[in-house]
Each structure stands twice: as C-alpha cells, then as structure tokens.
Amino acid sequence: MNSAPTHSVFVGYLLWIFGFTGSHRFYFGKPVSGTVWFCTFGLFGIGWFLDAFLMSSLSRDAAGSYRRGQYDYTIAWALLTFLGVFGLHRFYLGKVATGILYLCTLGFFGIGVIFDFWTLNGKIDDANRQAEGRAKNY
C-alpha cells in the first residue's frame, strides 16, 4: 500500500497535548484506543506519556492504511474537530445532503459528530479512492 504520509506528525503532537482525550489516536485512525484514552484520561497518563515516543509510528501506520489523494486528512479532521456540529467536514468531502442535515441539527444532535470521530479516516480514504477512479476514467 501507499507509504507516503497521510497524517502529519506535527498535527499528531499538537493533538497529543490533549492526548488524555484520545484525539491524536482518533486522528491516526485508532478509534478503539482513542475511546479507551478518552474514558481513562490517556490510560491514566501512562499511555499519554508513551505516545510522545510513538507519534512517528502512528503516522507510518496511518500511511499504510489510508490513501493520499484529493482530500486532505488534516483539513477534514480540523473541520470535524472545530466545526463538526455544522457539518463542514461533510461538505468538504462532497457529502452535501448529510452536511445540510448536520448544519440543521447541530451534528445530528451531537451523535453524528461522535460517530464521525470513529469513521472519518475511512470516509476520507473512500472519497480519495472515488476521486482517483473518476480521474482514471477521463
């Protein structure tokens, strides 16, 4: 699979500052451990501390799992993190109908935003694959 970076190590470290919330783990496509970090305050601080040394590895794992393309992971994650209740990350990915739904319901009453923390990397990967497929057809 593609080994070019898809997720920024720098952004990972910025999110790591709030790592006890699991935000950097969600960003790098680790939703299960992100949820554990969120529920245990960074695995009681121990996991949070250890992640400072694992950031490059997390970035490499993400590059091996997700495809680079038209849609940037960092932009989509920033939109979800700061403006997710307005659905801007969905508009960015070309999902206008659900973007409007999020806009009118504050992120589908917040539940949709939580769901997107679990699934955003896969949605970006799918959108990049579809965009690549359309480009090959031209």
Side-chain angles (χ1 to χ4, degrees), residues 40-88:
T40 62
F41 299 104
L43 212 55
F44 308 107
I46 297 166
W48 175 76
F49 174 77
L50 293 175
D51 277 351
F53 304 100
L54 298 175
M55 209 62 63
S56 293
S57 174
L58 290 169
S59 180
R60 275 192 307 277
D61 289 350
S65 299
Y66 302 108
R67 182 178 302 261
R68 289 181 61 86
Q70 176 180 347
Y71 301 100
D72 185 85
Y73 290 85
T74 301
I75 292 171
W77 273 98
L79 291 172
L80 171 60
T81 302
F82 298 109
L83 300 167
V85 294
F86 302 114
L88 293 184

Side-chain angles (χ1 to χ4, degrees), residues 5-102:
T6 55
H7 295 70
S8 165
V9 173
F10 176 74
V11 171
Y13 275 114
L14 287 177
L15 294 171
W16 174 83
I17 294 169
F18 305 100
F20 57 90
T21 66
S23 57
H24 64 291
R25 291 207 156 249
F26 284 107
Y27 173 68
F28 286 120
K30 307 280 188 197
V32 173
S33 61
T35 302
V36 171
W37 262 233
F38 181 80
C39 293
T40 62
F41 299 104
L43 212 55
F44 308 107
I46 297 166
W48 175 76
F49 174 77
L50 293 175
D51 277 351
F53 304 100
L54 298 175
M55 209 62 63
S56 293
S57 174
L58 290 169
S59 180
R60 275 192 307 277
D61 289 350
S65 299
Y66 302 108
R67 182 178 302 261
R68 289 181 61 86
Q70 176 180 347
Y71 301 100
D72 185 85
Y73 290 85
T74 301
I75 292 171
W77 273 98
L79 291 172
L80 171 60
T81 302
F82 298 109
L83 300 167
V85 294
F86 302 114
L88 293 184
H89 61 291
R90 289 189 167 259
F91 285 111
Y92 174 68
L93 294 175
K95 301 187 179 301
V96 176
T98 56
I100 292 170
L101 178 65
Y102 273 46

Side-chain angles (χ1 to χ4, degrees), residues 96-135:
V96 176
T98 56
I100 292 170
L101 178 65
Y102 273 46
L103 185 62
C104 294
T105 61
L106 292 179
F108 209 68
F109 309 112
I111 296 168
V113 173
I114 293 167
F115 175 77
D116 286 349
F117 269 93
W118 269 74
T119 61
L120 186 62
N121 280 316
K123 289 176 185 172
I124 299 166
D125 188 62
D126 289 344
N128 282 337
R129 289 175 191 275
Q130 288 174 359
E132 183 180 302
R134 284 190 304 267

